[in-house]
Amino acid sequence: MTHLLELDDVSVTYVTAGGDVPAVRGVSLSVAAGEVVGVAGESGCGKSTVAATILRLQPPSARVTGRVLFEGEDVQTMKWGALRALRWAGASMVFQGALHSLNPVQRVGAQISEPIRLHEPDLSDKKVETRVGELLEQVGLPRQRARAYPHQLSGGQRQRVMIAMALACRPRLIVADEPTTALDVMVQAQVLHVLQGLVSDLDVGLLMISHDLSVLADLCDRIAVMYAGRVVEHGPADKVFADPLHPYAGALSASFPRIGDVAARYAPAGLPGDPPDPAELPSGCSFHPRCPKRFDDCDKVAPELRSDGTSRAAACLLVEPR
Amino acid sequence: MSTASATRESARALARDRRRQAWSRNWRTFRSHRSGLIGLAILTGFAVVAVLAPLIAPAEGLEVTKATGGVLEPPSSEYWLGTDDKGRSVLTLLIWGARISLFVGLAATVISMVIGTLIGLTSGYFGGWAGAILFRVTEWFLVIPFLPLAIVMATVLGRSLLNIVIVIGVTSWPGTALLIRAQTLTIRERPYLERARVLGAGPSHQIRRHILPNVMPMVFANTTLTVAVAILTETTLSFLGLGDPTRVSWGSMLDDAFSVGAITTGAWWFIVPPGVCVVLVVLSFTLVGQALEEVLNPRLGAGR
Amino acid sequence: MTILGRADYGRGGESQEDNLDSASSGRHGTYGRYLLGRCLGSLGSLAFMLLLSFFLFRVLPGDPARTLGRGRFTTPEQLDEFKRTYGLDQPLPQQFLTFLQNTLSGDLGISLRYRVPVSDLILDRMWPTILLVGTSTILAGAIGIWLGVRGAWERGSKFDKVSTGGSLTLYSMPEWWLGLLFIAVFAVGWGPIPGLFPTGGLHSIDAEPGTISGVLDTIWHLFLPVLTLTLAYLADYALIMRSSLLDELGEDYLTTARAKGLRDVQVRNRHAVRNALLPTTTVVALSLGFVVTGAITIETVFSIPGLGLLATEALTVPDYWVLQGTFLVASFAVILANLAANLVYGLLDPRVRT
């Protein structure tokens, strides 16, 4: 089967005055139609950068290698016209921090209708308006909210608006980058519920990015765990969460951060130290300075992502193929 | 007892060390701003000339009765920039004019900074009714049309250097006050200030030890920009004949040039050099101020 | 009073946000309140200006009659007569009341030089100033904003460097000095360049007002002053537009717009520029308030009979009541422009009124 989205050995390097900074190093990942795939990891592990490459939204200073295929076509090399047509109509995004991702001085209705008018210019004003109303109701907001400005909405409402906006052009893929961060527990659960319901109703692919492994485990079919720009573990969601192979995935899983605990995002419990600076990565396995199970070879050999013989894979010297 | 004083001593040394490090770091960043460096070099040049004026160009060159040149002579080997309508060397006037321009600019800025910082800090730190009233007063002063005010004050109080300094100082502080108020408001909410409050630090301690050191860099960058505006204002006021009639400034030179018709007679050497000096000095202060702002304001530095 | 009003609707906004599904009603009411608050604030500024004006002209001089009649009166009787005429023999509070009453009813005194009511003089001299400053502001606004947008969008390009450098230089230049240079080069003529424009004035002696040739004559006279003032204002606007657009460019909502499939130009014009225009609009509106201030030097240099020239002429006499009148008008213009800027901002930016 052809995948909706396929990342093939994607690397992203930021070219700066102080030298090249590798943010993503050889990530391969795929999402099929109707599938929910999660990417987990701490802040700065490169997961948002991966998300940006899917619609070629990375900053100009970023150099991307490898292939980002959407329905078989390489997003990174396609013509601008084709790319613009793909953006939002093929794949749309729910950004983290809806307060800043929405234009502060436009009514949310206008912002939801903007991509509709852009991609379906023949639609009458009346129909656009109806669609906006339907979209808002789909995410559990009253139609009249279309007239509100972002600052007049609560955090949860704004995030719902973002989701309604992402659905506006009936995309085949939605990329959700930390859609529930900065929301409190109850609201977070509500927003996740909305998202989950929509995915199963509309049969779209969803790539969900979060620092919170427990959230992903609930929602996703498969999970990839990223550390320092690499995928270090990959497998079915329940298995990765319940019985992680890689010590880092283990630490993320064990931390089991309570939903909404912002501090946990920066320092998962039981894991000392900070993620490495991408400009100065440790030798060998990048995780070895923080790894509770490290041994002699860990600072010399950089392990590849290896299958354990089942549907799972991990990049750790301790993982033996079964 | 001795250990306590030793600790205090070492803490002080630590603070001094950190300050020195911050300075050298800032200087390194500043050096990477080419326009700021050029501005600094030009300013240094003007400052040296202003300080050494009596040595470079003897003061008697300013006296009309001792003038040796002809009326509006074009530049020559004797008078590099020609002479004015009274036979004085334009170059001499220019050199002495630098003193007045720089003095008025700096003095007015000091007044503006003191008032602005005081009012900005108080209205930002204390808030409540007092803060609100001070904020209102700041807004009122912000809308005073300063040139008409300067004209009125010069008429009412007479023409003197001090009046010019006062007029500029009194009308230019509100911008500074608003800036500092905004800064104080954000700093007041930071955790370390809350900690200081919990530990029993009084308002004066909080302001002196925590708020002022954080606000000062902004004040510093703003100062440089204010000097530029003050010098421009002084030139304009002198040009309108509101300056001190007993002293030569770039503005009063241009006033003379305008009223004796240097424009129609084509005596460009009497019109162009004073104006170029004003532009150079004001532009330099602006460039240095911008560079400082970028060095000292982390938000700008990171964002651009 | 105003302060209370403002705090009040700050709270209104919060409660609206907390209330999850309440329809967003009463937004027009909020703008009404914002309007009221701003108007009250302007009234406060007006009161302050009147007080300041009174202080400047009646309290600060010590004995206003002496300053006023400098060299004009020979006998003490004449001085007393003068004082009685202007009510300067009354106690200060009484004087203040009279001053308020007169000023608010439009009576600004009689010009010592022209022997006509100051209010008539001001009305008469207002139009050249409005024409000069209005035209320059509109031109400078349009060109300056264009320069600023292009400079910020192509940040670091040759265009940006030249326009920013030019703006900074113009910003550092006394505008009247630029005017002097223009007169020397384009009106008097310099080297091979012939004098193309008049050195000053608003129209030729033989021009007939109201005819087409009369209008053309005025345009010809105003060309250099308008050019000078336009260049002076333009620098401000270009720099402000550039820096506020640069501020916007880092914002996340532009990424959203790009992700939606908008072209670069659409992202720029529909989102970034529109939002960056907010602060610039305010600055342009505010600078309109400094109409008299801006006109003073340029009108002096080009001898245009407007409010600015009226003020500098009054300075030499000195014509006290004319000075006071122009000061009041200048302040009033600033307050009015301030109010206008706030109201426009309130209309354009929904954040300030909620």
Side-chain angles (χ1 to χ4, degrees):
Chain A
M1 107 189 182
T2 54
H3 290 296
L4 193 57
L5 174 77
E6 194 170 354
L7 303 184
D8 181 17
D9 196 26
V10 172
S11 296
V12 183
T13 309
Y14 289 108
V15 182
T16 70
D20 291 359
V21 179
V24 175
R25 304 178 292 150
V27 166
S28 297
L29 205 64
S30 66
V31 182
E35 193 184 24
V36 182
V37 176
V39 176
E42 288 164 287
S43 292
C45 72
K47 46 192 204 305
S48 291
T49 308
V50 168
T53 60
I54 297 168
L55 287 177
R56 215 206 282 183
L57 289 169
Q58 72 274 4
S61 66
R63 198 178 60 224
V64 180
T65 59
R67 294 190 304 163
V68 182
L69 301 175
F70 184 80
E71 294 175 338
E73 286 193 70
D74 194 336
V75 177
Q76 289 292 328
T77 55
M78 66 169 60
K79 293 214 172 74
W80 279 105
L83 177 66
R84 278 200 301 272
L86 164 72
R87 282 178 175 177
W88 224 257
S92 64
M93 292 190 77
V94 178
F95 291 97
Q96 59 177 320
L99 179 58
H100 300 289
S101 298
L102 290 169
N103 188 331
V105 302
Q106 279 184 11
R107 297 184 195 277
V108 295
Q111 300 190 53
I112 296 174
S113 64
E114 187 176 31
I116 304 177
R117 291 179 201 279
L118 189 74
H119 293 282
E120 295 163 60
D122 301 332
L123 222 57
S124 70
D125 282 358
K126 186 119 193 80
K127 282 192 175 149
V128 173
E129 204 181 306
T130 318
R131 171 99 67 93
V132 171
E134 285 165 9
L135 287 165
L136 284 172
E137 281 175 354
Q138 241 172 345
V139 295
L141 288 173
R143 285 167 179 268
Q144 303 91 293
R145 281 279 138 175
R147 293 193 44 78
Y149 289 99
H151 71 275
Q152 295 170 321
L153 303 174
S154 68
Q157 287 176 313
R158 278 195 291 265
Q159 207 60 53
R160 285 167 194 244
V161 168
M162 283 298 288
I163 294 172
M165 199 158 88
L167 295 170
C169 298
R170 306 191 176 105
R172 271 96 68 203
L173 174 73
I174 296 176
V175 180
D177 186 359
E178 303 267 11
T180 57
T181 310
L183 298 180
D184 58 47
V185 189
M186 287 305 293
V187 185
Q188 190 170 6
Q190 287 169 12
V191 171
L192 286 174
H193 181 72
V194 168
L195 207 55
Q196 195 166 25
L198 290 171
V199 167
S200 55
D201 287 355
L202 303 175
D203 202 37
V204 298
L206 175 66
L207 183 67
M208 170 115 163
I209 290 168
S210 177
H211 63 278
D212 193 333
L213 201 56
S214 62
V215 165
L216 294 180
D218 272 355
L219 211 62
C220 300
D221 303 319
R222 286 183 292 122
I223 291 180
V225 178
M226 282 185 71
Y227 186 78
R230 276 171 177 271
V231 173
V232 293
E233 176 159 2
H234 179 230
D238 49 342
K239 298 242 173 67
V240 173
F241 185 59
D243 174 30
L245 296 174
H246 195 282
Y248 177 65
L252 269 189
S253 164
S255 69
F256 205 126
R258 280 176 299 112
I259 297 176
D261 183 358
V262 180
R265 180 175 162 204
Y266 300 104
L271 193 58
D274 297 316
D277 179 355
E280 291 166 38
L281 290 172
S283 62
C285 171
S286 354
F287 186 60
H288 85 258
R290 299 170 77 190
C291 186
K293 296 177 182 165
R294 70 166 168 267
F295 55 95
D296 291 349
D297 280 350
C298 283
D299 58 348
K300 297 182 193 75
V301 186
E304 295 293 317
L305 193 64
R306 283 186 302 184
S307 170
D308 73 338
T310 65
S311 56
R312 312 180 57 182
C316 180
L317 295 178
L318 289 172
V319 177
E320 298 294 333
R322 275 180 204 164
Chain B
M1 188 73 199
S2 69
T3 39
S5 76
T7 326
R8 205 177 308 138
E9 196 49 49
S10 73
R12 220 171 269 161
L14 196 74
R16 206 165 39 230
D17 228 40
R18 207 176 290 160
R19 219 170 297 144
R20 198 177 317 126
Q21 272 172 14
W23 268 105
S24 69
R25 191 174 53 239
N26 285 340
W27 170 239
R28 246 176 296 145
T29 334
F30 184 85
R31 267 193 324 202
S32 67
H33 288 85
R34 208 161 54 99
S35 54
L37 269 188
I38 294 174
L40 194 62
I42 295 176
L43 285 184
T44 315
F46 271 100
V48 168
V49 168
V51 169
L52 299 181
L55 298 177
I56 310 172
E60 59 217 42
L62 296 174
E63 288 175 37
V64 182
T65 47
K66 290 183 186 157
T68 47
V71 172
L72 289 177
E73 263 182 47
S76 61
S77 59
E78 191 182 353
Y79 300 108
W80 291 355
L81 285 176
T83 62
D84 74 343
D85 56 303
K86 300 180 186 77
R88 297 176 292 182
S89 159
V90 170
L91 186 60
T92 305
L93 298 178
L94 218 50
I95 290 169
W96 283 84
R99 284 175 90 112
I100 301 298
S101 285
L102 290 177
F103 169 76
V104 171
L106 293 172
T109 304
V110 168
I111 295 186
S112 150
M113 279 302 137
V114 170
I115 305 180
T117 312
L118 229 73
I119 294 200
L121 269 181
T122 329
S123 76
Y125 180 80
F126 291 105
W129 272 106
I133 288 172
L134 282 176
F135 180 60
R136 243 318 106 93
V137 171
T138 315
E139 279 195 324
W140 286 340
F141 271 87
L142 202 61
V143 298
I144 296 179
F146 83 92
L147 204 50
L149 177 73
I151 290 176
V152 168
M153 282 186 74
T155 323
V156 172
L157 296 176
R159 289 153 204 205
S160 74
L161 214 53
L162 187 67
N163 281 346
I164 287 212
V165 170
I166 290 176
V167 168
I168 301 175
V170 161
T171 47
S172 60
W173 64 264
T176 312
L178 288 184
L179 194 77
I180 290 179
R181 176 175 184 269
Q183 280 282 315
T184 310
L185 282 176
T186 56
I187 292 169
R188 198 177 60 164
E189 302 306 322
R190 293 206 185 139
Y192 60 78
L193 230 101
E194 202 165 314
R195 202 169 53 216
R197 261 193 297 272
V198 171
L199 290 175
S204 89
H205 176 88
Q206 287 180 46
I207 290 179
R208 263 186 305 119
R209 303 296 301 209
H210 297 287
I211 295 182
L212 215 49
N214 279 297
V215 174
M216 270 342 259
M218 286 290 285
V219 176
F220 197 50
N222 188 252
T223 304
T224 333
L225 294 172
T226 310
V227 179
V229 176
I231 289 177
L232 265 183
T233 309
E234 188 276 335
T235 315
T236 299
L237 292 181
S238 299
F239 174 69
L240 290 175
L242 298 168
D244 193 329
T246 62
R247 287 176 212 264
V248 174
S249 80
W250 295 333
S252 72
M253 287 172 74
L254 286 165
D255 182 25
D256 278 353
F258 182 58
S259 48
V260 303
I263 294 162
T264 36
T265 56
W268 58 267
W269 57 90
F270 200 14
I271 306 167
V272 175
V276 169
C277 285
V278 174
V279 173
L280 276 180
V281 169
V282 174
L283 186 60
S284 301
F285 270 115
T286 311
L287 291 178
V288 172
Q290 278 190 338
L292 277 179
E293 225 171 34
E294 268 177 56
V295 171
L296 299 172
N297 187 342
R299 199 185 70 86
L300 285 177
R304 302 193 175 177
Chain C
M1 196 150 176
T2 337
I3 297 152
L4 261 184
R6 194 151 16 144
D8 208 7
Y9 69 48
R11 245 179 281 135
E14 270 168 46
S15 68
Q16 196 175 31
E17 195 174 319
D18 290 342
N19 193 349
L20 256 160
D21 289 325
S22 80
S24 53
S25 61
R27 219 173 308 114
H28 297 286
T30 340
Y31 187 61
R33 260 164 139 183
Y34 173 79
L35 207 100
L36 187 70
R38 288 288 136 181
C39 288
L40 286 174
S42 296
L43 279 182
S45 301
L46 198 66
F48 172 74
M49 279 304 164
L50 287 171
L51 214 73
L52 178 72
S53 169
F54 181 77
F55 175 79
L56 280 175
F57 287 92
R58 318 287 163 106
V59 183
L60 201 60
D63 187 354
R66 189 147 295 159
T67 331
L68 264 174
R70 208 183 288 156
R72 208 171 286 147
F73 309 114
T74 41
T75 63
E77 287 77 33
Q78 273 178 311
L79 193 68
D80 286 343
E81 168 70 29
F82 183 83
K83 278 191 181 178
R84 236 189 330 278
T85 321
Y86 289 101
L88 295 175
D89 51 348
Q90 308 273 329
L92 276 181
Q94 180 60 46
Q95 279 191 44
F96 184 64
L97 282 181
T98 318
F99 164 77
L100 269 187
Q101 207 174 358
N102 288 345
T103 310
L104 293 179
S105 63
D107 176 4
L108 298 174
I110 309 279
S111 161
L112 297 174
R113 181 182 173 191
Y114 294 98
R115 303 278 161 201
V116 291
V118 172
S119 48
D120 289 359
L121 264 182
I122 287 175
L123 282 177
D124 201 34
R125 298 287 201 100
M126 203 162 69
W127 298 110
T129 302
I130 291 180
L131 188 63
L132 169 70
V133 179
T135 317
S136 311
T137 305
I138 292 168
L139 284 175
I143 305 170
I145 286 170
W146 179 77
L147 283 176
V149 167
R150 212 177 139 187
W153 201 253
E154 300 169 18
R155 186 165 175 252
S157 69
K158 201 165 189 179
F159 180 91
D160 181 33
K161 279 178 186 150
V162 170
S163 83
T164 307
S167 299
L168 276 174
T169 311
L170 279 173
Y171 173 82
S172 309
M173 195 179 285
E175 69 281 358
W176 45 267
W177 181 67
L178 188 65
L180 290 181
L181 294 186
F182 280 157
I183 293 177
V185 176
F186 298 113
V188 176
W190 186 63
I193 305 168
L196 290 171
F197 295 97
T199 53
L202 196 56
H203 29 67
S204 313
I205 308 161
D206 54 353
E208 292 167 43
T211 63
I212 293 178
S213 70
V215 172
L216 285 177
D217 181 64
T218 304
I219 293 177
W220 181 55
H221 275 82
L222 278 178
F223 184 84
L224 286 183
V226 165
L227 177 69
T228 314
L229 216 49
T230 302
L231 285 173
Y233 290 159
L234 176 146
D236 281 16
Y237 302 161
L239 290 172
I240 290 160
M241 187 65 207
R242 179 175 180 273
S243 78
S244 48
L245 187 53
L246 281 181
D247 279 347
E248 293 298 324
L249 288 186
E251 296 290 332
D252 289 340
Y253 69 84
L254 291 185
T255 311
T256 310
R258 220 167 277 132
K260 283 178 179 173
L262 293 173
R263 288 167 188 278
D264 245 26
V265 183
Q266 291 171 320
V267 174
R268 180 177 87 182
N269 293 345
R270 283 192 201 171
H271 293 276
V273 172
R274 251 206 68 186
N275 294 8
L277 266 175
L278 296 177
T280 314
T281 315
T282 318
V283 172
V284 174
L286 276 181
S287 76
L288 262 178
F290 287 88
V291 51
V292 182
T293 308
I296 286 178
T297 54
I298 294 297
E299 285 180 6
T300 307
V301 167
F302 288 95
S303 26
I304 293 167
L307 285 178
L309 195 61
L310 185 67
T312 39
E313 283 171 353
L315 172 70
T316 42
V317 176
D319 200 336
Y320 236 59
W321 308 128
V322 168
L323 277 179
Q324 179 187 284
T326 43
F327 180 73
L328 281 173
V329 169
S331 314
F332 188 65
V334 178
I335 293 170
L336 212 62
N338 230 323
L339 183 63
N342 276 315
L343 298 190
V344 170
Y345 202 101
L347 274 179
L348 293 179
D349 191 339
R351 282 168 296 183
V352 298
R353 55 175 194 258
T354 314

